[in-house]
Structure formats: structure tokens, C-alpha cells
Amino acid sequence: YTKASDMSYLVDELSIFARVEQNDIPYHFIELDLEQYFSDCLSDLSLDLEMKHIQLIYQNDCPSGTTVYADPEQFRRVVGNILSNSVKYLNREDGEIRIHIRLQPLPPRAKPLYQQLDLEHIGLPSLNPPEQMIEISIWDNGPGVKEKDISKLFKRFYRVDASRNSAKRGSGLGLAIVEKIVLAHGGKVWAESKPGEGLGIYMTLRQTDCETRGGFYGKNIDS
């Protein structure tokens, strides 16, 4: 039964990754109020973390009403995949996950923290380059990752310790899917680690332009 469940899980992950990689997922970008969206999202996930004795610490330093353009369903997949990856390796009684959201101004003349997109294909509106991005970090206090492995974390099928992973459910696709979805949102994603202390996954999203920001959770960009 366990083997069959693992195989079913792998097939599902492969299907999702294939669609994301081929840009076959229809993205529905809407204007999301960050505070409300994360409050709803984490409310649904917190019970599972509590049952695993993992403390969730959430901090949002963005001004009230800050909004981003995102696909609610796919961005929830991003958050869920990162948290699942953290939970998998939190083999300690005082497990902890910290989520921090803040504004990240773009330095003058610096390369922007967003991607040039096929806007017509994925449905993201054509916007002027933002003056600042939203930076979201998710840190755990697990064993962390060696520096030589950091650059490989988002590669498909890559798992840091294959021998240990045989006992842990995983496809090696979770963070690869995260990267593809974040890039499709016009952002970027990267990892930082302190071996023996924890792993942090960072991502950026483009903030709604000040002139169009309405602070409405679920406001359709086409409306």
C-alpha cells in the first residue's frame, strides 16, 4: 500500500511538473491582498503543522492593503510545497517554521528582480517595471543544506541525501515546481542555508502598481 501510494504521489507530481514546464497551466492572475491571503492560507495549513508539533511564526512587515498579482491556486501550491519540504526534514521536537514578508526596494540601475514574460501566453498584464518587489522568506530550523547543494535544490528529481530520502516521501519535484510557478509570476526564487541551523527559501512577487492598487482580495485584473 505504501509503495502504491508513493507511486501515485510521484505520478501526480510528474503530471503537474510537466504541465508547468510546458506552460500548459492556465494562470488566472488576480489582485491579492497579501495579509488576507496569507491569513487564509496559513489558517488552513496550521492545524497540520500543529499536529506535527511544529511552531509556525508569521511576520508581515508590508503596509496594510499591500497587494500583488498572483494566481491564488498556483501560489498556494508554491507555499504548500515549500512547507512540505521543510516539514519533511524537521526531525526535532522544537521544530519551527518562520514566514517573513517585506518590501524589497530595487536599487537604482540594478537588474530587476523580475522576469521578462510571455505576457500574452500566461495572462499577466503588461506592467511597468516595479520600483520595489514583495520578498517572502520561509525558514525552518532543520538540518540545513551544504553550500555545494544550494544551487541544485531547484533541479528536478534532485534530493540532497538520496539514502535518507528513501524513508521520506518525496519526488524531488516540489521545489522545481515552485521555481517554475514563481518565474511565471514574474518573480525569482532562491535558497539560503545555515548547515545545522536551517534552510530558507526566498521568493519575490511584483507589487501591484500604486495607481491600480485597490487592496481587494480576489479582485480580477480584467475587471
Side-chain angles (χ1 to χ4, degrees):
Y1 174 80
T2 300
K3 290 292 184 182
S5 296
D6 289 345
M7 185 61 68
S8 177
Y9 175 77
L10 177 58
V11 169
D12 289 343
E13 289 287 277
L14 280 169
S15 176
I16 293 169
F17 180 77
R19 294 185 63 197
V20 170
E21 189 173 44
Q22 297 300 318
N23 291 324
D24 193 35
I25 288 183
Y27 288 93
H28 302 290
F29 291 93
I30 61 176
E31 186 180 348
L32 297 179
D33 182 290
L34 268 179
E35 180 62 33
Q36 187 170 351
Y37 181 78
F38 265 88
S39 294
D40 293 345
C41 183
L42 298 180
S43 176
D44 294 338
L45 297 170
S46 60
L47 179 59
D48 184 51
L49 295 178
E50 184 178 338
M51 293 177 63
K52 292 179 171 65
H53 306 290
I54 297 173
Q55 182 181 11
L56 178 63
I57 301 172
Y58 169 64
Q59 179 179 347
N60 183 357
D61 292 336
C62 294
S64 176
T66 299
T67 60
V68 296
Y69 283 126
D71 180 309
E73 180 180 353
Q74 298 307 323
F75 188 62
R76 183 184 177 87
R77 189 187 304 279
V78 166
V79 176
N81 281 9
I82 295 174
L83 290 179
S84 294
N85 190 72
S86 294
V87 169
K88 193 188 310 179
Y89 298 105
L90 273 175
N91 53 350
R92 52 189 296 173
E93 294 183 359
D94 59 341
E96 182 179 286
I97 295 177
R98 291 178 175 268
I99 298 177
H100 185 197
I101 304 175
R102 68 189 184 108
L103 294 176
Q104 180 62 55
L106 295 179
R109 299 183 181 180
K111 292 183 178 179
L113 299 177
Y114 65 94
Q115 305 294 316
Q116 297 298 324
L117 305 176
D118 180 358
L119 300 176
E120 182 178 352
H121 179 75
I122 65 173
L124 188 63
S126 179
L127 301 173
N128 295 324
E131 295 182 358
Q132 56 190 3
M133 301 289 284
I134 305 298
E135 182 184 277
I136 302 168
S137 63
I138 302 179
W139 271 92
D140 63 60
N141 63 341
V145 175
K146 296 179 181 178
E147 185 176 354
K148 66 181 181 67
D149 293 318
I150 289 289
S151 62
K152 306 173 185 176
L153 284 178
F154 300 97
K155 292 185 177 180
R156 52 185 163 181
F157 301 119
Y158 181 77
R159 292 185 289 184
V160 176
D161 188 339
S163 61
R164 280 199 308 134
N165 270 285
S166 61
K168 297 178 183 290
R169 189 183 190 190
S171 64
L173 290 171
L175 292 183
I177 291 172
V178 164
E179 182 182 49
K180 296 292 184 181
I181 294 176
V182 172
L183 290 178
H185 277 68
K188 64 178 291 188
V189 61
W190 69 97
E192 296 180 5
S193 181
K194 300 175 182 177
E197 298 182 30
L199 173 69
I201 303 296
Y202 288 78
M203 71 188 102
T204 57
L205 293 176
R206 58 188 308 159
Q207 182 183 7
T208 305
D209 186 86
C210 294
E211 294 181 0
T212 60
R213 185 188 310 148
F216 298 110
Y217 174 58
K219 178 182 177 182
N220 194 299
I221 59 175
D222 298 324
S223 62

